[in-house]
Structures are given as C-alpha cells and as structure tokens.
Amino acid sequence: MEERTTFTGIPVTNDEGIEKYFDFEVGREEGQNEYARITMGGCQLILDEQLAYLSGDLPKEWHRPAIDKLLFLLSVDRNSDDSAQA
C-alpha cells in the first residue's frame, strides 16, 4: 500500500526575497524507500529518504529554500499528530 502526505499551495521565499508557491508530496511506495517530490510551476525536484537529490529540473536556487520548507511542514505535521493522540 502506498502512503502519501501532501501539502499544496505553500509559499516559499528564496534568498533574493522572491516568493513562489510549491506543492510537496512525501510518501513511500509499496516495496520502495521513502521519497519527496517538490513541484513548482511545472518543475520538480525528487529527493530520496535522506532528502538527497535524485532527479528533477527545479532551478537550483530553489532547492535549499524548498527543502527547508518541507522540513518545517513535516515537523509541524508530526507535532499536530502527536498532540491529537495525547
């Protein structure tokens, strides 16, 4: 069974102060390792379970800001899951 978490329409700001909207997907395909897919304006960045680059055509200047935002979203999502179980 495939597990997937998505976040859509999330604003990300790069080092020059430019803001664009991204979609994030984190999942695990059956029999596969975890992955992350980050998309923006027709471009994408695919990362492995260690958030290392696998493939994609997302401009390099957006890699770090998008990965940082993904880590933030995952930490908030994890904390909300923990508080809902308490």
Side-chain angles (χ1 to χ4, degrees), residues 1-5 25-30 34-35:
M1 180 167 81
E2 185 176 320
E3 300 173 31
R4 185 181 312 176
T5 301
E25 176 183 309
V26 178
R28 176 188 303 269
E29 295 178 0
E30 189 171 346
E34 292 180 324
Y35 69 90

Side-chain angles (χ1 to χ4, degrees), residues 7-12 20-24 38-40 58 62 66:
F7 307 95
T8 58
I10 306 297
V12 175
K20 297 203 176 200
Y21 290 87
F22 286 72
D23 294 333
F24 299 87
I38 301 171
T39 58
M40 182 270 301
L58 184 72
W62 288 101

Side-chain angles (χ1 to χ4, degrees), residues 10-13 24 64-74:
I10 306 297
V12 175
T13 305
F24 299 87
R64 178 53 38 205
I67 292 169
D68 288 346
K69 182 65 78 158
L70 174 60
L71 291 170
F72 171 76
L73 292 169
L74 291 173

Side-chain angles (χ1 to χ4, degrees), residues 50-68:
Q50 302 298 319
L51 299 180
Y53 175 87
L54 288 176
S55 66
D57 58 355
L58 184 72
K60 188 148 181 75
E61 68 265 16
W62 288 101
H63 288 198
R64 178 53 38 205
I67 292 169
D68 288 346

